[in-house]
Each structure stands twice: as structure tokens, then as C-alpha cells.
Amino acid sequence: MAFDTVRRAATSLSGARPLPYWLDDPGRPTARPALAGDEVCDLLVVGGGYSGLWTALLAKERDPGREVVLIEAHEAGWAASGRNGGFCAASLTHGTANGLDRWPEEIAELEDLGRRNLDAIEEAVTRYGIDCAFERTGEIDVATRPHELAGLRDWHRRTGELGLAQPEFLDRDRMRAEVDSPVLLGGLWDRRGVALLHPAKLAWGLKRVCLGLGVRVYEHTPGLALARSGAGVAVRTPYGRVFARRAALGTNVFPSLVRRLRPFTVPVYDYALTTEPLSADRLASIGWRNRQGLGDSAHRFHYFRLSADNRILWGGYDAVYPFGGRTDPSLDQRPETFLKLAAHFFTYFPQLSGVRFTHAWGGAIDTCSRFSAFFTTAYGGRVAHAAGYTGLGVGATRFGAEVMLDLLAGERTERTALRMVRSRPLPFPPEPFAWAGIELTKRSLARADSHGGRRDLWLRAMDRMGLGFDS
Ligand SMILES: Cc1cc2nc3c(=O)[nH]c(=O)nc-3n(C[C@H](O)[C@H](O)[C@H](O)COP(=O)(O)OP(=O)(O)OC[C@H]3O[C@@H](n4cnc5c(N)ncnc54)[C@H](O)[C@@H]3O)c2cc1C
């Protein structure tokens, strides 16, 4: 990067707080007290992110008499669920293209279930009065290089041929009429398939609803070990045990209480910035009246959107895998990535020169080798687990919660009949192979971005094995 570019990026970041913007909010609820002594319940939910909260909420909706306990190691919504981009997508498969590659015979059903899932989220947000700035404004996949534009045109044609929901193609002029950036060559606007929301407020709202429905929520209560107990299971915490007939694990990127599931996901750190609120003049200088979310169609992609108070959230690009698959709060800050992100921001929006960033943060994404969630049972069907959402779990975790409840009930439903639900991704190898494979893949993907999208031998071999890497 040129010296002036670095200096401008550094200046724009100089006042940024090292915190997720969404969590730095006076409305952050106080944590519920930790468990004190033993508990007995019908269903124990481990994890207070969207996965766990939707599971507890839907369990109560399905059967209000069921005794449900939720334990959370820290505070509900502090992890990925409180620090993501807030793109709440209908897709259950990390995008239609990924779903089509892996489950072509099910894609129409998967897309339909995904749309119904997003509708159900919107309906629950309204019904329970969850104030999370839900806006169903859609998302535009944008092209900044000619080969990306050709890829978008091709995808537009294919969705039409396959009878899938067809996004609207925007040529350069129409794209720039939506969002005026000199780097944007065109885009595909999916108007109904994505909503934007305030992620932490969704998590906090779900927690409030769970409490209202009678879920007993214990925060600062890590589950340390899981074992059979009579006809059910018991989870040990530092303060007592929870005995439950059934347990659902929504622990995402953190080590699963079922050890054999650990190699199926790796943590990949993703980073984001938010600007100060834009004045009306600054906002007018870039258009963006329709408030869609945007995402680059490159492998190393940026995602960006407006907040309710007209800040721009600007994230993505670097996807960092820490050797050994560590998750550690020290990894939430990465100044070299923040500088890079800020520099890219001003290339996209030169009109916003002088704008300051107020927050800079990162978080771990539970990446799996098929990019979309997988579902498992353990302990003879008494425990269900869902993870592997790979950066697209804001919406899909509600579907995952339904699947976990179906599995625990031993029911065959339209969800559990899916091959997508019954199959599993390939696990990651142990170190140093995981690190070496991921680094090699990242380098190849970066090369593909700058060489007209051409995939090298390594990526083609990975494609043949159905293996991938994404954030
Ligand atoms: C920076 C970033 C940006 C993202 N952007 C988007 C986006 O725009 N759109 C999108 O769809 N997805 C996005 N994602 C992904 C999305 O946030 C996740 O898929 C989703 O939040 C996963 O929810 P979860 O409940 O499974 O996980 P989490 O929110 O991580 O919750 C898991 C919880 O389990 C708790 N826990 C773990 N182990 C234990 C234990 N043993 N005992 C008790 N509690 C435990 C943790 O403390 C944590 O609170 C992003 C993620 C990140 C990090």
C-alpha cells in the first residue's frame, strides 16, 4: 500500500474502539445469574447464541409445558451472534450456488424451506416485538472485476433456466444508481432473500422472549462435560449439574461437548469496522437510498451495509485461521487487517474521505468443509448438535434449531428427510495439515481473484473432492 493510503487509513481508525459496535450499546441487558446447585429439566440447551436461543424458544412454542434450561458460558449473544454483519439470509446452504453444487436434487426444496425460515424469523420479530431494526431490503452481489461481472451474468441466466428465484441483474449504470462507487461494475440484487438487522438486539430479544416463555437461563455457566445419566444426560458446570432428558448443543465454534464432532469445524476469524453516522450530505454523495446489503463476489470479499443510524459496517476480506484452531479474545483485534479494510473502504467510497471509524472488531466463524450446517445426534439420540454455518448463520440457525428439535423428538419431518440434513462434511485433518491445507487454499483463492477467476490445480482437486474453504 502507498504511504498516503496507509496514513489516511490509520487516521480514519485512530479513534476506533476495540469492540463490536453492536455490543457497545446501552440497551445491553444484564446477565442472568449463574447456576447455583443442580437443576433438572426436560431439555437442556447449551449455548446462548442464536442456535441455542431459537432452540429454547421453539421448544417452548412446540410444547409450553416442557421444562427448558439454557446455560451460556459467558453472556447470551456475546460471540458470533452479537458481532456479525447482520445479513439475515434465506439461504440455508451458504448461497444457492453452493447448495446447487452439493444437493442439486434438493435445491428447490432447500430454497423453499429457507424462504419460509426467513419469513418465520420476520413473523417472530413482529409477533414478539423484538426491536432489532429488521429491514427486508435484500442484498446485491457486486462485481468489481470483469470476470466477476461475467460470473454474475452467468448465474443470472442459470437461475432462470433452473427455475430458481432469479435475482435482478444491474448493469454498471443501474448499479451505480443504487450505490455510487467507482469500483462497482454491476450486481445481482436479491430483493427478498436477505434482511438486515441489528444482530445483538436480535439475540437479546430472543433471550427476553425465552425468559417470558419460562425458559430458565443461566449465564456465566460453562458446560464442562457431558455424560449419560439414567434415561437422559447430565452436564457438569462449575456450580452444579443439569440433569436433562434431552440436550441440544448450540456451541458453534467452541469445542463441542461431544469430542468426536470437534474435527468437523475450524475457527476462521473475520473482521469488521463501522463508521461514524453519515450526515445526510455524505449519504447523498453515495446514493444508497434503498439500504440493501452488499457483498463482493470475489473469494476475498467485503460485505457492507448501513445501520439504522446510517453508519456503514464494512467487513470481510481477510479470513484468518489460527494454527491449532485456537479461539482466543486476543484474536478479536488485528490492526493490519483493520488498516487494509480502511484503505479498501476509501477506494470504494472516495466521496467519504475524512469519515472516521468508531469501532473495529473480529470474531470467530465456525467454518466447515461444505460451508453449511451439519446436524448430528449422540448418546443414543438424547443429544443433538448443529454447527458449521460458516459465516451465514444469522438466518439458518433458526432452521438448525428446528432440525435439532426434530432429531431429539425422533421425528421424520420434511427437514430431517433431507440429504443435506442427513449427510456430514468431511472433517479437517490434524495439525500441521489443517493449517497447511487452509493456507494453500487461501493463497490459491487470492490468485484466482487476481487472475480472472481461473482456478489452479489445487483448487480444482479440492472442487473434485467437494472440499472448500470460506468464511
Ligand atoms: C465477524 C462475523 C461476521 C458474520 N457475519 C454474518 C452475517 O452477516 N450473516 C450471517 O448469516 N452470518 C454471519 N456470521 C455468522 C453468524 O454470526 C453465526 O453463524 C451465528 O451467529 C451462529 O450462532 P450460534 O448460536 O451457533 O453461535 P454463537 O453466537 O457463537 O453462540 C454460541 C454460544 O455458545 C456458548 N458456548 C460454547 N460452548 C459452551 C459451553 N460448553 N457451555 C456453555 N456455553 C457454551 C458460547 O459462549 C456462545 O455464546 C458472522 C460471524 C462473524 C464472527
Side-chain angles (χ1 to χ4, degrees), residues 246 381 404-412 416:
R246 297 283 182 267
M404 286 200 280
L405 292 173
D406 292 347
L407 292 171
L408 290 174
E411 280 170 11
R412 188 176 168 86
T416 59

Coordinates of all heavy atoms in Angstrom, one line a residue, residues 246 381 404-412 416:
R246 N -33.2 -34.6 27.5 CA -32.6 -34.4 26.2 C -31.7 -33.1 26.2 O -32.0 -32.3 27.1 CB -33.6 -34.2 25.1 CG -34.6 -35.3 24.8 CD -33.8 -36.4 24.0 NE -34.7 -37.5 23.7 CZ -34.8 -38.6 24.4 NH1 -34.1 -38.7 25.6 NH2 -35.6 -39.6 24.1
G381 N -29.4 -40.7 20.6 CA -30.5 -39.8 20.2 C -30.9 -38.9 21.4 O -31.8 -38.1 21.2
M404 N -32.7 -29.7 15.2 CA -32.3 -30.3 16.5 C -33.5 -30.8 17.2 O -33.5 -31.9 17.8 CB -31.5 -29.4 17.3 CG -30.0 -29.2 16.8 SD -28.9 -28.6 18.0 CE -29.3 -26.8 18.1
L405 N -34.6 -30.0 17.2 CA -35.8 -30.4 18.0 C -36.5 -31.6 17.3 O -36.9 -32.6 18.0 CB -36.8 -29.3 18.1 CG -36.3 -28.1 19.0 CD1 -37.3 -26.9 18.9 CD2 -36.1 -28.6 20.5
D406 N -36.5 -31.7 16.0 CA -37.0 -32.8 15.2 C -36.2 -34.1 15.6 O -36.8 -35.1 15.8 CB -36.9 -32.6 13.7 CG -37.8 -31.5 13.1 OD1 -38.7 -31.1 13.9 OD2 -37.5 -31.2 12.0
L407 N -34.9 -33.9 15.6 CA -34.0 -35.1 15.8 C -34.2 -35.6 17.3 O -34.3 -36.8 17.5 CB -32.5 -34.7 15.6 CG -32.1 -34.4 14.2 CD1 -30.7 -33.9 14.1 CD2 -32.2 -35.7 13.3
L408 N -34.3 -34.7 18.2 CA -34.5 -35.1 19.6 C -35.8 -35.8 19.8 O -36.0 -36.7 20.7 CB -34.3 -33.9 20.5 CG -32.9 -33.4 20.7 CD1 -32.9 -32.1 21.5 CD2 -32.0 -34.4 21.3
A409 N -36.8 -35.4 19.0 CA -38.2 -36.0 19.1 C -38.2 -37.3 18.3 O -39.2 -38.0 18.4 CB -39.2 -35.0 18.6
G410 N -37.1 -37.6 17.6 CA -37.1 -38.8 16.8 C -38.1 -38.8 15.6 O -38.6 -39.8 15.2
E411 N -38.4 -37.6 15.2 CA -39.5 -37.4 14.1 C -38.8 -37.3 12.8 O -37.8 -36.7 12.6 CB -40.2 -36.1 14.3 CG -41.3 -36.1 15.4 CD -41.8 -34.7 15.7 OE1 -41.5 -33.8 14.9 OE2 -42.5 -34.6 16.7
R412 N -39.5 -38.0 11.8 CA -39.1 -37.7 10.4 C -40.0 -36.6 9.9 O -41.2 -36.7 9.8 CB -39.3 -39.0 9.6 CG -38.8 -38.9 8.2 CD -38.9 -40.2 7.4 NE -38.7 -40.0 6.0 CZ -37.5 -40.1 5.4 NH1 -36.4 -40.4 6.2 NH2 -37.3 -39.9 4.1
T416 N -35.8 -33.4 8.4 CA -34.8 -34.5 8.7 C -34.8 -35.5 7.5 O -33.9 -36.3 7.4 CB -35.2 -35.2 9.9 OG1 -36.6 -35.7 9.8 CG2 -35.1 -34.4 11.2

